[in-house]
Amino acid sequence: TWQMAGPITVGPHGQKRRLLLISTCLYMIFYTGAFYGYGPFQLMLEEAGAFSNRCAPDEPLPCPSQTSMLLNVQFSSMLTTMIFTPFMGAGIDKYGPAIMFDVAFVFGIFGLVLLIISTSLHIDPLLFPSFLCIGFMSCLSGLYTVQIGLLFEEGRDRNRVISVLNALLDSGAVTYLLLWFVETNTILTLPTISAVYLAIYILVVGASVICWTRIGKKTQRLATEEMDRAVHDVVAVVRRDSIRRASEIMERQESIIDNEEESTTDQYILIANRPQMEQLMSSQYITLCIFFSFHQARNTFTLTTTRDFLAYLGDDEYGNKYLSIFTLLTPVSVLGLPFVDLVLHKWGYGAGLHTCNLLGICQGIVQVSSTNLSVQILGFVFYSFYRCFLFSITFSALAAFIRGDVIGKGCGIYILFGGLAGLAFNIPWQMLQ
C-alpha cells in the first residue's frame, strides 16, 4: 500500500512531479552542491574580515590563524553532517521524504539567516552553527537524488534522473565561485549577497517543499482508497460464500503455501524482498559500498592535493591559472551524462563500474606521466568524466536492487563510509606536510 510515512514510489503525480524535478535540479546545483565548493566563499569571508581578530596588529591579512579558523568552519560542519548522514537516511525511510525535506528546508533557512547576522554584525563564532545548518541541509537534500528517481519508472528513466541530479550536485561546487565573482565585480557586499541568496533559496526549495507535501497527501489518499477497496472485497467474499466454503478455501491456501515454502527453500530471494538488515548486509551492497568508498577517497585525495600538485609543476608562476581551469572544468561532468546513459542502457551497471575504473586510471596516468601543465588539462577532463560516472553509476545501481524503504539508509551509509575513507587517505598526507 501507499503510505506517507515511508517511501513514495512511482505514481500518477503528473505536473507536480515535473515541477519537483525542475526545482530539485536548481537547488542541487545552487545550494546542495555549493556546500562542497567552499574555497571561493572562504575568500569572501576573508575579505569581509571574518576572524581577523585572530591576527596580530602588524600581521598581514589573511594570517595563518585566521585561515585556520575559516577552514575549521567547513571541516567541522562536513565531519559532523557526514556522521549523521545514515540517521538522515533512516529518517527518510521511516517518516517519508515529504516530512524530512521540510526538515532540510528549515535547516537551510536557519543556516543562511545566521550567515547574514554573522557577516552583518561581525559575530564570527556564528559561522560555525551557520555552516553546520547549511551542511545538514546539503547532506539531507543530497540524499534526494535517489528519492526523486524513485518517482520514475524503474529502468532508463530512473537512471537518467539519478544521473542528472548527481551531475548537477557535483557541478554545484562552482556556485560560490559565481558569488565571489559577483562580490568582486559589483558594489554588493557579502551580507547583501547572502540575503538575496536566502530569498532565492526560499523560492526554489520552497517549491520542492510544496510538491513533496502534495505528493505525500496524494499517496496517503491512494493508500486509504486502496484499503477501502480491499475491505470491500473481503466483505463481499464473506457475504457471498458460506463460512464452510471460506474455511475450505483457507485450508487449501494454507496447504498451497506450505507446499510452496517446501519447494522454494533453496531458491534465490531477491535482495529487495529480504528484511532490511539482510539487504544492507548483502554481498552486492557491501561490494558496491567498498567500491564507492575507495573511489570517493581517491576523489577527495585528488581534490585536496591538486593545489599542491599544480604548484609543484609551477602553476604559481602562472598566477594559479591551471588551478582555476581545474575548478571551472568541474561542471564539464554534465557532458558525460549521455555516455552514462549509453553505457547503462547497452551494457548495464557492471560496464558502468568498469568505465569508472578506466577513467580513474586514465586520469592517474596523465597526472604522473607528464610535468607539462597543458597536458594536465586532459587529466582534468578525465577527472570530470570520472566523477560523473562514479556518482551516477553507483547511486543508480543502488536504486536497482535496494527496496524503497531501505534506500535512505543505504545512501547514508554510502556517504558515511566514503567520507571516512577520504579521511583515512588524507590524514596521513597532511601529516607528511
Side-chain angles (χ1 to χ4, degrees):
T1 61
W2 295 63
Q3 298 179 7
M4 186 173 180
I8 297 176
T9 52
V10 181
H13 303 305
Q15 292 183 349
K16 289 186 286 293
R17 186 176 66 175
R18 289 190 289 271
L19 177 58
L20 178 60
L21 179 59
I22 293 172
S23 61
T24 302
C25 288
L26 292 174
Y27 75 70
M28 281 293 171
I29 190 170
F30 291 116
Y31 293 95
T32 303
F35 176 71
Y36 302 101
Y38 179 69
F41 205 89
Q42 179 182 335
L43 295 177
M44 297 171 68
L45 291 172
E46 289 175 353
E47 293 169 1
F51 294 110
S52 57
N53 58 342
R54 297 274 176 168
C55 304
D58 57 344
E59 199 172 10
L61 299 178
C63 67
S65 298
Q66 178 187 13
T67 301
S68 176
M69 289 297 295
L70 290 173
L71 289 174
N72 286 336
V73 168
Q74 172 74 346
F75 178 76
S76 61
S77 60
M78 287 190 67
L79 181 61
T80 304
T81 54
M82 178 188 69
I83 293 172
F84 280 93
T85 303
F87 300 102
M88 299 177 195
I92 294 175
D93 293 339
K94 182 175 182 179
Y95 302 109
I99 294 176
M100 292 304 293
F101 195 80
D102 292 343
V103 175
F105 180 59
V106 172
F107 267 121
I109 291 178
F110 279 149
L112 291 173
V113 168
L114 289 173
L115 177 63
I116 294 171
I117 295 173
S118 174
T119 54
S120 300
L121 303 179
H122 301 287
I123 308 175
D124 298 335
L126 282 181
L127 289 174
F128 283 95
S130 169
F131 272 84
L132 183 62
C133 290
I134 293 173
F136 271 106
M137 178 276 296
S138 179
C139 278
L140 184 50
S141 61
L143 297 176
Y144 282 74
T145 58
V146 177
Q147 293 296 326
I148 298 292
L150 295 179
L151 294 173
F152 293 80
E153 293 291 344
E154 183 177 358
R156 199 169 189 180
D157 286 346
R158 180 176 294 179
N159 290 337
R160 284 174 171 174
V161 170
I162 294 174
S163 298
V164 167
L165 293 178
N166 275 288
L168 291 176
L169 189 156
D170 190 38
S171 301
V174 301
T175 297
Y176 287 160
L177 184 63
L178 296 176
L179 296 182
W180 177 70
F181 178 82
V182 170
E183 186 198 36
T184 55
N185 291 275
T186 66
I187 60 173
L188 297 178
T189 62
L190 180 55
T192 304
I193 292 174
S194 300
V196 175
Y197 195 51
L198 171 61
I200 298 174
Y201 172 85
I202 293 174
L203 291 175
V204 172
V205 185
S208 291
V209 170
I210 294 172
C211 291
W212 274 119
T213 302
R214 291 182 177 179
I215 289 175
K217 289 180 178 179
K218 190 167 187 176
T219 55
Q220 191 177 38
R221 187 178 71 251
L222 289 171
T224 303
E225 292 174 355
E226 186 174 338
M227 182 65 70
D228 290 343
R229 284 194 299 269
V231 172
H232 181 271
D233 293 341
V234 171
V235 172
V237 170
V238 172
R239 287 176 177 176
R240 187 173 61 250
D241 298 334
S242 64
I243 296 177
R244 180 184 60 79
R245 179 63 177 167
S247 177
E248 291 176 356
I249 293 174
M250 290 178 63
E251 291 177 359
R252 191 178 300 115
Q253 287 178 339
E254 290 176 357
S255 177
I256 293 173
I257 291 173
D258 291 339
N259 292 333
E260 288 180 347
E261 288 179 350
E262 292 177 359
S263 62
T264 60
T265 301
D266 298 328
Q267 290 185 2
Y268 178 81
I269 301 175
L270 292 175
I271 295 175
N273 295 333
R274 302 176 190 176
Q276 290 193 16
M277 285 305 300
E278 290 187 18
Q279 293 183 54
L280 298 177
M281 294 299 294
S282 64
S283 59
Q284 290 89 338
Y285 177 76
I286 292 175
T287 302
L288 200 58
C289 195
I290 293 172
F291 179 91
F292 178 78
S293 298
F294 171 80
H295 281 283
Q296 178 64 349
R298 183 186 181 279
N299 171 47
T300 304
F301 182 81
T302 301
L303 286 174
T304 55
T305 58
T306 295
R307 169 70 181 86
D308 293 329
F309 173 71
L310 294 177
Y312 172 76
L313 298 183
D315 190 32
D316 288 346
E317 299 174 6
Y318 296 93
N320 296 320
K321 168 185 172 182
Y322 290 91
L323 181 61
S324 300
I325 294 174
F326 174 79
T327 303
L328 292 173
L329 278 176
T330 301
V332 171
S333 61
V334 177
L335 300 179
L337 290 174
F339 300 100
V340 172
D341 182 54
L342 176 65
V343 170
L344 287 180
H345 181 64
K346 291 286 187 180
W347 300 288
Y349 297 108
L353 296 174
H354 285 305
T355 304
C356 183
N357 289 330
L358 180 62
L359 288 170
I361 291 172
C362 290
Q363 184 261 333
I365 291 174
V366 172
Q367 190 175 38
V368 302
S369 64
S370 176
T371 58
N372 189 318
L373 284 168
S374 297
V375 174
Q376 292 300 322
I377 295 177
L378 177 62
F380 300 162
V381 175
F382 277 127
Y383 180 67
S384 294
F385 277 74
Y386 162 74
R387 286 165 60 91
C388 179
F389 269 82
L390 172 61
F391 296 110
S392 299
I393 299 294
T394 51
F395 281 97
S396 295
L398 184 64
F401 68 89
I402 294 292
R403 198 169 61 237
D405 61 345
V406 189
I407 199 76
K409 289 184 281 289
C411 292
I413 295 171
Y414 248 27
I415 295 171
L416 173 62
F417 280 96
L420 293 176
L423 289 176
F425 267 58
N426 283 281
I427 289 177
W429 168 258
Q430 295 297 328
M431 293 175 64
L432 291 174
Q433 298 302 304

